[in-house]
Amino acid sequence: MTIEAIAVDIDGTITDEKRRICISAIESLRKAEAKGIPTIIVTGNVVNYAYATEVLIGCSGGLVAENGGVVFKEGENNDAVETLVERAFVTSAEKHLKEKLGDKFDKHASHDNIYRLTETVFYKTLSEKELKDALKDFEFLDEIEIYDSGFALHITDKRVNKGTSLKYLCERNGINMENVMAIGDGHNDEDFLKQVGYRIAVGNAEDKLKEISTYTCKNTFGDGVAEAIEKFAL
């Protein structure tokens, strides 16, 4: 088995249920980096959050943020954040939802939407059914995707996802996707796991993700990440 890179989700994967990064995951990712295997952060989070995670852990592979809408890698694209899709459909969805939801829009909208470049997010205090019902008559419904990350509901543009943007970043850096190990836990991780040769679900992952994975960890959260890295990469 040859692992050229590790692609890993943040929330629910390297973090626990309280969003605390697990020490075991940090240690294993750093061991992989020391061996010359870069880690790529792949997340639904905003780019500044993802970048902070990358720097604090010591990851060198770059990052995919906002469920594929944004990529960044130091030394590339003149060190600028790169947006891979225009925001027109998501902006139209926001306008539609403000009319349909009224005061509920601001009540349930994520506080970090101000930083998001390509998507809009709601806390799970708003149900997925209520969100989808409000979008039933949206003119461009076929152009957007709704992801439940486990921590929030994300409205994204269908033209990008974690998988398409991970592939874009890897190909730009000469990394064979068949030699990438991807690790995740939730619905919005399916797209990038399906793109790689080694698909890993941590023990707390959704059943659907486990079904498409080549290996399901015995351990949960960051301990599962450490288990997979120790087993396959080190």
Side-chain angles (χ1 to χ4, degrees), residues 131-144:
L131 182 62
K132 287 182 175 179
D133 284 348
L135 286 167
K136 277 182 178 178
D137 58 347
F138 176 50
E139 181 181 3
F140 303 112
L141 185 59
D142 290 341
E143 306 295 339
I144 61 172

Side-chain angles (χ1 to χ4, degrees), residues 12 105 126 129 151 153 159 162 171 199 203:
F105 184 97
L126 180 72
K129 181 182 184 303
F151 294 86
L153 299 172
R159 289 172 292 179
K162 285 186 174 184
E171 288 182 345
R199 303 181 298 278

Side-chain angles (χ1 to χ4, degrees), residues 5-6 33 37-41 54 58-64 72-74 76 166 169-170 173 175:
I6 297 167
E33 286 280 348
I37 302 172
T39 294
I40 302 167
I41 298 294
E54 174 189 76
C59 306
S60 65
L63 60 89
V64 172
F72 174 76
K73 188 173 187 297
E74 288 184 288
E76 296 182 4
L166 175 63
L169 188 60
C170 285
N173 285 276
I175 296 172

